[in-house]
Amino acid sequence: MAKCQVNTDLTEGCVTVLSPMDRANLFPDLGEVIYLNHASSGPLPFPAREHMKTLIDDLRFGDLHWDFWLERLSEFRNHASRLLGCEPSEIASTNNTTTG
């Protein structure tokens, strides 16, 4: 499997192998902890946490930017479909695996 660069802007590329430095940059709060409970909620990578803070700030007045969020969902489907080798229409977003 080809080794990909860690892409912290989440716009293209892939992550297949994390070096210790990549792990430290993406999960700075874990220190020397190795988190293995991947089937539930877990620590967020730093770039995801920063993006979420921006999104939460935008929601302080409600969902006034619905068209903006529909565009983000479309972008997500496009990126995920390229990663998985399928069509964007085959990508669904759910709360969790229990819901979906």
Side-chain angles (χ1 to χ4, degrees):
M1 188 175 266
K3 189 173 184 178
C4 295
Q5 293 289 331
V6 173
N7 182 11
T8 58
D9 69 8
L10 305 177
T11 58
E12 61 182 67
C14 63
V15 176
T16 56
V17 177
L18 288 179
S19 72
M21 183 61 75
D22 292 333
R23 184 184 164 283
N25 289 332
L26 290 173
F27 301 97
D29 298 328
L30 289 182
E32 295 300 317
V33 173
I34 296 175
Y35 190 85
L36 298 176
N37 189 6
H38 60 83
S40 76
S41 58
L44 289 172
F46 181 76
R49 188 172 66 206
E50 292 304 305
H51 282 282
M52 288 177 74
K53 286 179 185 177
T54 301
L55 304 179
I56 289 168
D57 286 346
D58 187 53
L59 291 172
R60 69 182 176 272
F61 298 113
D63 58 357
L64 299 175
H65 307 286
W66 189 247
D67 290 338
F68 172 83
W69 294 114
L70 288 176
E71 289 174 23
R72 300 296 74 75
L73 180 58
S74 178
E75 289 174 5
F76 161 75
R77 286 186 172 128
N78 287 328
H79 292 303
S81 69
R82 284 198 317 265
L83 177 68
L84 298 172
C86 62
E87 295 298 317
S89 61
E90 297 177 275
I91 302 294
S93 177
T94 65
N95 295 335
N96 54 51
T97 55
T98 302
T99 304

